Amino acid sequence: SQQGEEDPQALSIQEGENATMNCSYKTSINNLQWYRQNSGRGLVHLILIRSNEREKHSGRLRVTLDTSKKSSSLLITASRAADTASYFCATEVSGGYQKVTFGIGTKLQVIP
Amino acid sequence: SQTIHQWPATLVQPVGSPLSLECTVEGTSNPNLYWYRQAAGRGLQLLFYSVGIGQISSEVPQNLSASRPQDRQFILSSKKLLLSDSGFYLCAWSDRHYEQYFGPGTRLTVT
């Protein structure tokens, strides 16, 4: 079964708006990562947040992690049409072999 | 800099035929290597991962197998393809810093 589950599964917003995607997981993790996939392409790593961190920023990306609720959120501010892609969270469970489990993703469409 | 190659990019194979997908990594040594499958509109399913030459762990029992004959080469194989093997196959590598770096993928259609 999937360790991470993203919510919503699809999101459509206007350019310039913020986009928020959520990820929930089931077991204790070492870290949580967010990846982006353009249609028909490989995944690109966006950001990693460790289990002892609560918030992390990278450019227009802001990731939060709440280990008590076993959830994370990815916020993309001032979205652009080029942000249109699928976004996946991936969790590395404690004791894992650097093996991460991916969720089913959130498909984001940014309308120009 | 590190690069990861996968080939072929697309493949159409009949049911019952064999399969060989290759992945190679350049610019790093002793990487962890991974094979994933992504069904249309779905998330990634980890198929195999390898932490070293000849060391393969299988995540899902199926008619696929993987081999790592060289440090930076990872091969996904099947003796007889099934219709359910269709999908987008992604190879990835990681060092000891957790981020995974993905190849461009192979789109396999079994007919």
Side-chain angles (χ1 to χ4, degrees):
Chain A
S1 63
Q2 298 285 357
Q3 160 73 330
E5 294 186 5
E6 290 88 345
D7 168 56
Q9 292 190 18
L11 181 61
S12 184
I13 60 174
Q14 296 289 328
E15 201 166 29
E17 293 180 340
N18 295 342
T20 300
M21 289 159 268
N22 303 297
C23 170
S24 59
Y25 57 91
K26 296 173 184 170
T27 59
S28 296
I29 60 171
N30 290 333
N31 61 69
L32 186 144
Q33 304 174 52
W34 285 91
Y35 288 80
R36 165 198 169 122
Q37 183 182 32
N38 287 81
S39 181
R41 307 290 295 274
L43 278 72
V44 175
H45 182 266
L46 296 176
I47 197 165
L48 178 150
I49 186 165
R50 301 188 189 285
S51 59
N52 62 353
E53 298 176 309
R54 291 297 166 259
E55 189 170 312
K56 206 159 181 181
H57 296 82
S58 177
R60 292 184 296 113
L61 304 181
R62 174 177 168 252
V63 169
T64 61
L65 179 65
D66 186 334
T67 53
S68 66
K69 294 181 179 178
K70 291 188 170 57
S71 67
S72 173
S73 67
L74 170 67
L75 169 67
I76 303 174
T77 60
S79 64
R80 305 167 181 168
D83 294 329
T84 295
S86 291
Y87 292 82
F88 295 88
C89 70
T91 52
E92 188 207 3
V93 299
S94 302
Y97 235 126
Q98 295 188 1
K99 184 183 71 175
V100 300
T101 305
F102 286 82
I104 61 173
T106 292
K107 197 165 188 176
L108 173 66
Q109 181 184 25
V110 181
I111 302 167
Chain B
S1 64
Q2 301 89 0
T3 54
I4 177 168
H5 304 278
Q6 276 186 255
W7 63 90
T10 59
L11 192 59
V12 180
Q13 293 281 98
V15 168
S17 64
L19 173 74
S20 181
L21 302 181
E22 190 161 344
C23 171
T24 59
V25 181
E26 296 176 357
T28 187
S29 59
N30 197 28
N32 291 342
L33 295 171
Y34 309 83
W35 277 112
Y36 293 90
R37 177 170 60 202
Q38 185 178 31
R42 303 293 300 276
L44 276 69
Q45 179 186 34
L46 178 63
L47 302 175
F48 301 95
Y49 68 96
S50 171
V51 298
I53 295 175
Q55 300 178 61
I56 310 291
S57 295
S58 174
E59 288 297 299
V60 183
Q62 57 208 331
N63 68 320
L64 298 173
S65 62
S67 62
R68 183 171 179 174
Q70 299 180 44
D71 181 44
R72 288 168 290 178
Q73 185 185 28
F74 206 23
I75 297 172
L76 183 69
S77 304
S78 174
K79 293 182 179 177
K80 287 186 178 182
L81 284 168
L82 306 172
L83 285 174
S84 58
D85 291 324
S86 292
F88 191 48
Y89 288 82
L90 288 159
C91 179
W93 73 273
S94 72
D95 56 16
R96 302 304 180 259
H97 295 95
Y98 306 111
E99 296 107 35
Q100 296 195 8
Y101 302 91
F102 284 79
T106 294
R107 187 158 304 282
L108 171 66
T109 304
V110 182
T111 60

